Amino acid sequence: MINKYTCKNGVRIVLEQIPTVRSVAIGIWIGTGSRNETEQNNGISHFLEHMFFKGTKTRTAREIAEAFDSIGGQVNAFTSKEYTCYYAKVLDEHASFALEMLADMFFHSTFVDEELQKERNVVLEEIRMYEDTPDDIVHDLLSKACYANHPLGYPILGTEETLRTFTSDSLRGYMADYYTPDRVVISIAGNVDESFVQQVESYFGSFTAKQKASESPAPLFQPQKLVRQKDTEQAHLCIGFNGLPVGHPDIYTLIILNNILGGSMSSRLFQEVREQRGLAYSVFSYHSSYQDSGLLAIYAGTGNNQLDLLFETIQETIDALKEDGITEKELKNSKEQMKGSLMLGLESTNSRMSRNGKNELLLGRHRSLDEIIEEINSVTVEKVNELARCIFNEDYALALISPSGQLPNRISS
């Protein structure tokens, strides 16, 4: 069972007790990411995440790393477009120690200039490494094509130019604006009792915020076609359609549609593009949901000389799905895949902590497994077909990174 507690300052604590395991996962979730940035400070959410590991008032960066190694624990963090998470997974006997460590990093990181300079260079190398993986950066290019100058179109890592401007003062200023109690969720899953909530509240229940930062407006989907020439072995293609936001009533219908389109090895794109025509090694589709928008995307990589055929094959697959719809067999198989993924994903304390943290932060509610399965079972062939027509009848955005830097002929003409 999932229990929720709200501290006097607004920080939310979500606890799922699992007495049958010997581990505990603790996550600090903050409702801010690259979406909350400006063109001038793009990348600051991610850089701040890095700096939380570079020393506190009482621990050096090395001591932080050694502290978790000494108890056989794991500690890490990540930044997305709408949230940031710092988390640890440890044996249940070390839960209090892990919580104290995370709280120390959250409240007492020092951001000293020497560490700032070193970590700035680390992130610069991360950006350069990313540039060497066109099958990754093409997804950032697609976000830019879909959302143009809206912050959802910004890269999470930022740019070399913005990264060089970050200082300890700018980091603290960003924290003051966005690391506020109303945006913080502490998610715990594992073998701890209810009294652990009091420990969490002793660390996080009293800090305050001067003011609430403004939210960015809802984005307008813009079906732009962006191309970047790069000396690569393959052409990397992404096609994006306007999707659904988090918590939309039809979200499970869309998840099933995505699964049938390109979300599994039996999907239409995988079977047609790879198995039948041998045009690509990697081809898939995915859906990203944000608070007020969503993106249904298709990716495939192929030799530049096969780009036109690849694009035509993808379009034919979409047209067939739109015009002829899905089959009962596809629907049944997709539902079972979803249920299996859901159940298997709840076998670790880390995954349960993540699920609960995201649900609280983005939705403010927690559905039981029975409720979710009921919603999955309620999806019908007609619902999927209607949503497919609605999505695929609209214009699409496109991103392409290739040696020639030229759009497929079907678009160019």
Side-chain angles (χ1 to χ4, degrees), residues 240-382:
F241 295 88
N242 198 13
L244 300 178
V246 171
H248 191 281
D250 293 326
I251 195 69
Y252 289 104
T253 304
L254 180 53
I255 294 172
I256 287 176
L257 173 61
N258 171 68
N259 195 56
I260 293 170
L261 174 64
S264 69
M265 289 179 65
S266 63
S267 68
R268 294 193 179 190
L269 282 174
F270 191 93
Q271 288 297 313
E272 190 64 33
V273 172
R274 175 169 163 162
E275 300 297 282
Q276 296 298 318
R277 305 200 189 190
L279 291 174
Y281 174 78
S282 181
V283 56
F284 57 86
S285 66
Y286 62 91
H287 182 253
S288 298
S289 285
Y290 307 116
Q291 291 177 0
D292 47 20
S293 60
L295 172 64
L296 177 62
I298 296 167
Y299 165 83
T302 192
N304 200 54
N305 62 322
Q306 299 184 125
L307 177 61
D308 289 331
L309 182 56
L310 171 68
F311 183 74
E312 289 172 9
T313 303
I314 292 173
Q315 288 295 332
E316 289 169 4
T317 304
I318 291 172
D319 290 342
L321 188 58
K322 181 174 62 175
E323 293 166 12
D324 303 328
I326 67 168
T327 66
E328 286 285 355
K329 181 182 177 182
E330 286 177 317
L331 178 65
K332 180 178 181 295
N333 290 346
S334 187
K335 285 182 177 180
E336 292 307 311
Q337 286 177 352
M338 283 181 65
K339 293 174 194 175
S341 296
L342 178 65
M343 298 299 184
L344 293 174
L346 294 178
E347 288 192 350
S348 77
T349 51
N350 232 21
S351 60
R352 285 177 180 254
M353 178 277 293
S354 295
R355 176 174 176 264
N356 298 340
K358 280 189 283 190
N359 283 343
E360 182 59 40
L361 195 64
L362 302 178
L363 298 172
R365 65 179 187 271
H366 302 269
R367 291 175 177 167
S368 68
L369 285 178
D370 289 340
E371 290 173 326
I372 295 172
I373 289 173
E374 185 179 346
E375 285 208 42
I376 293 171
N377 287 335
S378 71
V379 176
T380 63
V381 167
E382 291 73 26

Side-chain angles (χ1 to χ4, degrees), residues 2-6 10-15 29 31 83 182-188 246 291 352-367:
I2 300 167
N3 293 308
K4 174 183 170 181
Y5 310 84
T6 303
V11 169
R12 288 161 286 169
I13 304 170
V14 182
L15 171 65
W29 296 77
Y83 52 83
D182 58 301
R183 292 176 178 267
V184 173
V185 170
I186 313 297
S187 178
I188 309 111
V246 171
Q291 291 177 0
R352 285 177 180 254
M353 178 277 293
S354 295
R355 176 174 176 264
N356 298 340
K358 280 189 283 190
N359 283 343
E360 182 59 40
L361 195 64
L362 302 178
L363 298 172
R365 65 179 187 271
H366 302 269
R367 291 175 177 167

Side-chain angles (χ1 to χ4, degrees), residues 117-135:
Q117 295 298 336
K118 287 191 290 186
E119 204 60 27
R120 182 180 289 115
N121 194 58
V122 169
V123 178
L124 281 172
E125 292 303 323
E126 186 178 2
I127 292 173
R128 291 163 184 162
M129 180 180 70
Y130 200 59
E131 281 291 323
D132 282 339
T133 53
D135 53 326

Side-chain angles (χ1 to χ4, degrees), residues 35-305:
R35 178 182 183 149
N36 302 92
E37 299 168 357
T38 65
E39 196 172 353
Q40 290 71 37
N41 72 357
N42 176 217
I44 195 169
S45 304
H46 174 256
F47 188 64
L48 180 59
E49 171 223 309
H50 272 242
M51 288 305 301
F52 266 37
F53 291 83
K54 306 313 292 183
T56 69
K57 294 176 181 177
T58 58
R59 293 180 174 100
T60 65
R62 186 183 185 93
E63 287 170 339
I64 291 173
E66 287 178 345
F68 280 99
D69 287 346
S70 69
I71 59 171
Q74 304 165 2
V75 63
N76 212 331
F78 62 86
T79 305
S80 74
K81 289 187 180 293
E82 293 190 317
Y83 52 83
T84 305
C85 177
Y86 305 87
Y87 64 94
K89 183 177 181 180
V90 297
L91 294 176
D92 51 12
E93 62 195 85
H94 300 306
S96 297
F97 178 77
L99 176 64
E100 187 273 325
M101 287 289 300
L102 289 172
D104 190 29
M105 294 161 61
F106 188 89
F107 291 110
H108 304 129
S109 289
T110 52
F111 310 141
V112 296
D113 287 342
E114 181 184 357
E115 294 294 343
L116 275 168
Q117 295 298 336
K118 287 191 290 186
E119 204 60 27
R120 182 180 289 115
N121 194 58
V122 169
V123 178
L124 281 172
E125 292 303 323
E126 186 178 2
I127 292 173
R128 291 163 184 162
M129 180 180 70
Y130 200 59
E131 281 291 323
D132 282 339
T133 53
D135 53 326
D136 285 334
I137 56 175
V138 71
H139 299 282
D140 275 354
L141 190 62
L142 180 65
S143 292
K144 186 176 181 182
C146 294
Y147 300 118
N149 294 323
H150 188 277
L152 276 180
Y154 295 166
I156 292 171
L157 298 183
T159 67
E160 293 194 23
E161 291 72 30
T162 57
L163 189 60
R164 296 184 193 281
T165 67
F166 300 153
T167 64
S168 59
D169 287 341
S170 62
L171 293 180
R172 290 190 180 93
Y174 183 79
M175 282 191 70
D177 287 339
Y178 292 101
Y179 277 52
T180 54
D182 58 301
R183 292 176 178 267
V184 173
V185 170
I186 313 297
S187 178
I188 309 111
N191 188 25
V192 291
D193 58 38
E194 202 166 345
S195 64
F196 193 71
V197 171
Q198 297 171 356
Q199 294 184 48
V200 177
E201 189 167 13
S202 70
Y203 290 114
F204 292 92
S206 57
F207 83 102
T208 58
K210 294 180 180 178
Q211 60 184 18
K212 290 186 179 181
S214 59
E215 300 289 349
S216 61
L220 178 67
F221 186 85
Q222 302 187 35
Q224 300 178 93
K225 278 70 176 174
L226 299 182
V227 181
R228 181 174 166 187
Q229 190 280 325
K230 193 174 179 69
D231 187 16
T232 58
E233 294 294 327
Q234 285 188 309
H236 299 272
L237 175 69
C238 264
I239 301 170
F241 295 88
N242 198 13
L244 300 178
V246 171
H248 191 281
D250 293 326
I251 195 69
Y252 289 104
T253 304
L254 180 53
I255 294 172
I256 287 176
L257 173 61
N258 171 68
N259 195 56
I260 293 170
L261 174 64
S264 69
M265 289 179 65
S266 63
S267 68
R268 294 193 179 190
L269 282 174
F270 191 93
Q271 288 297 313
E272 190 64 33
V273 172
R274 175 169 163 162
E275 300 297 282
Q276 296 298 318
R277 305 200 189 190
L279 291 174
Y281 174 78
S282 181
V283 56
F284 57 86
S285 66
Y286 62 91
H287 182 253
S288 298
S289 285
Y290 307 116
Q291 291 177 0
D292 47 20
S293 60
L295 172 64
L296 177 62
I298 296 167
Y299 165 83
T302 192
N304 200 54
N305 62 322

